Each structure stands twice: as C-alpha cells, then as structure tokens.
Amino acid sequence: MEFNEKVVLITGASSGIGAATAIYLSKLSAKLALVGRKETNLRRIALYCEKAKGVKPLAITADVTDDGDAERIIRETVEHFGKLDVLVNNAGVIGMGGIKNSNMETYDKVMTTNMRSVYHLTMLAVPHLTESKGCIVNISSIASTKPSTMALAYNISKAAVDHFTKCVALELAADGIRVNSVNPGFVKSNLLRDIGLSDDQLELFVKNVVGNMPLKKPVEGDEVAALIAFLASDKAKSITGSHYVIDGGSLLR
Ligand SMILES: NC(=O)c1ccc[n+]([C@@H]2O[C@H](COP(=O)([O-])OP(=O)(O)OC[C@H]3O[C@@H](n4cnc5c(N)ncnc54)[C@H](OP(=O)(O)O)[C@@H]3O)[C@@H](O)[C@H]2O)c1
C-alpha cells in the first residue's frame, strides 16, 4: 500500500487505535496530522511516527467537540500540508449504563464526541476531500449492531455512525469521495479507563469479554490499523458505504 504524498488526518491519535493507526501509516510514509487532547501523549506518538520514515507529523492539540477546534483542525492541516486526502474519524468515548441507570450528561458527552464531532469534521473536510478525491474511515464498533444493556448511549452513537457512513457515502460518491467504517470488537486501549472500575474489576471485565470471544484473544490495535489503512488506500478504490467488522468472532454469538 502506498501513502507517499498522502495527507492523513487522524482524530484520537494520542492513544489506542488512533495511535496504532498513526504508527502503522507512518511506516507507509504518510504525511500525518494527529489530533488529541493530551498534548504529552500526542507529542510522544508524533515523535515515534517521525522516527519511522523521517516524516514529521503535525500534532494538533484540540477537542473535537469544540466547534472552533474542529475548524482549526481542518484549517491547520490544509495550511500545513496543502491538502487533505484521508480523514480518520476515530476519537471516541464510552459511557456506561442502560435506560434505567444512565443520565443525560453521559448521553450528551457520548453523542457529542462519537457522532456530532464526526458530522462536523466530515462537513468541514468535504471541500478538501472533493479536491483530492479522498476518502473517510469512521471508527464505529460492533456495539452498533449488537444490543447490550451496559452502554446504551455508546451503542446508539455507533449505530448512528454506521448510518451516517452509508448516507454520506451515497451523497459523496458523485464527488469521488469514498466513506467506510471499521467496526472493532474488544481492543485493549484506554477506552474503559474512565468508566470508574478499579484495576481488579477492569481485569475481570476484560477476562470475561475475551473469554466470550470465539478466537479467545483481544483484537490488537495494529490489526485495526491495517484494516483502516487498506480502506484508506487505492486498493479499496471500489469500496464505499461498507462496515468492516474486526472482532475475533464476537458477532457470531
Ligand atoms: N477499544 C475497543 O475495544 C473499541 C472497540 C470498538 C470501537 N472502538 C472505538 O475506537 C475508537 C478509539 O478508541 P480506543 O479504544 O483507541 O480508546 P482510547 O485509547 O481511549 O483512545 C481514544 C482517543 O480519542 C481521543 N478523544 C476522546 N475524546 C476526544 C475529544 N473530545 N477531542 C479529541 N480527542 C478525543 C483521546 O484523546 P486524549 O486521550 O488525548 O483525550 C484518545 O486519543 C473510539 O471511537 C472507540 O469507540 C474501540
């Protein structure tokens, strides 16, 4: 896969799947714009990427839910590199609880981060992607189609991302822009760190989740990165409006 001269913007690149994707694409010589809120983490990943092929990423410390920051993310990327070829909408948060034990604060935070920011960044990126005949990869989840009682707001935010992916793929096909999603199952990352479990509870939770996966192992971040890279590459030039599941067989149950 060739990413020489391709400008790739990745949100949530300071941790987990986004960081793994940045590192993966840096080895393919992509020009990277990396977004996250935690500046130290973001700069660490950017330095790691630079060491791969000597291409210095643009690190943008920003909150994707802030409208001004969203505009700055797109503006700084295009000012710095002169164009945008690929948008990876990866930044996301989880909030726990079902309809009986969650609250509107959780709903607003999860929907604003996981869906509204994707809508806004995509809207802002479209003029530039039209020029480059570029593409978008949205990071959804198997939670978009698998009902559960644990994280209602998260599940419906990802269902929205899936439908957004299809609608926008249809709308933008005439402009030569492809739009797809990657829907992972459980991947070890910092996503579950904020949900208030102790380390022991978290370990037990992870053990149960992995135990229920038919392949009995978590998906690795760089496996997800490879799928994102494939969908963003010219090898996927006929693929648009699709959801690519990578879940160790979790949806089989
Ligand atoms: N891990 C899984 O099992 C799994 C499964 C399916 C789907 N996913 C999806 O994969 C994506 C990445 O999650 P992950 O597992 O890699 O989690 P993670 O390690 O917690 O990483 C989340 C990333 O999103 C960024 N982020 C969150 N809110 C943000 C905001 N308002 N503005 C800017 N950046 C923000 C974080 O940046 P800072 O830390 O710098 O704030 C971090 O870089 C999410 O969309 C998630 O829903 C994960």
Side-chain angles (χ1 to χ4, degrees):
M1 283 182 288
E2 270 294 330
F3 280 88
N4 268 336
E5 301 307 320
K6 295 271 186 204
V7 177
V8 183
L9 169 58
I10 306 170
T11 66
S14 50
S15 172
I17 292 169
T21 303
I23 291 164
Y24 193 94
L25 289 174
S26 71
K27 293 174 185 163
L28 299 174
S29 304
K31 292 180 173 171
L32 297 169
L34 307 179
V35 178
R37 290 171 301 186
K38 297 193 182 100
E39 188 168 3
T40 311
N41 293 356
L42 192 64
R43 296 216 172 274
R44 187 173 51 82
I45 298 301
L47 198 62
Y48 202 89
C49 290
E50 186 178 349
K51 283 185 182 151
K53 294 273 181 177
V55 186
K56 190 178 170 70
L58 174 67
I60 306 172
T61 307
D63 183 337
V64 293
T65 66
D66 180 288
D67 285 356
D69 276 11
E71 282 164 19
R72 182 168 59 84
I73 288 166
I74 301 296
R75 190 180 62 246
E76 285 185 5
T77 301
V78 174
E79 274 174 10
H80 187 82
F81 290 115
K83 62 170 183 159
L84 175 65
D85 295 294
V86 181
L87 171 63
V88 181
N89 281 312
N90 165 75
V93 291
I94 196 164
M96 302 310 281
I99 200 67
K100 292 196 280 189
N101 59 348
S102 64
N103 54 53
M104 294 318 292
E105 197 186 323
T106 300
Y107 176 89
D108 286 341
K109 183 180 175 192
V110 170
M111 290 300 283
T112 304
T113 311
N114 295 5
M115 184 59 243
R116 188 182 184 280
S117 76
V118 171
Y119 197 109
H120 193 206
L121 280 169
T122 300
M123 183 184 278
L124 294 167
V126 161
H128 306 289
L129 295 172
T130 303
E131 267 185 42
S132 62
K133 303 278 172 255
C135 69
I136 300 170
V137 183
N138 295 322
I139 311 310
S140 179
S141 165
I142 59 168
S144 68
T145 54
K146 191 175 172 73
S148 88
T149 55
M150 280 174 37
L152 177 59
Y154 182 77
N155 289 9
I156 61 177
S157 75
K158 294 303 187 180
V161 168
D162 280 5
H163 203 53
F164 174 81
T165 299
K166 283 196 185 287
C167 292
V168 175
L170 182 59
E171 183 180 345
L172 298 182
D175 300 295
I177 302 172
R178 298 182 299 104
V179 189
N180 293 290
S181 75
V182 167
N183 297 42
F186 178 67
V187 182
K188 273 191 188 159
S189 73
N190 287 319
L191 191 68
L192 294 171
R193 289 255 159 238
D194 286 342
I195 64 172
L197 297 181
S198 68
D199 282 353
D200 285 351
Q201 286 171 320
L202 195 57
E203 198 178 314
L204 188 64
F205 177 82
V206 169
K207 205 173 154 195
N208 282 338
V209 171
V210 174
N212 278 326
M213 292 169 79
L215 290 182
K216 303 278 180 222
K217 63 165 204 64
V219 178
E220 301 292 335
D222 66 347
E223 296 175 74
V224 184
L227 188 49
I228 294 168
F230 168 72
L231 288 170
S233 77
D234 291 343
K235 291 206 182 299
K237 65 184 177 205
S238 301
I239 302 175
T240 197
S242 290
H243 309 312
Y244 275 73
V245 169
I246 172 164
D247 72 343
S250 294
L251 281 187
L252 296 171
R253 295 206 206 276

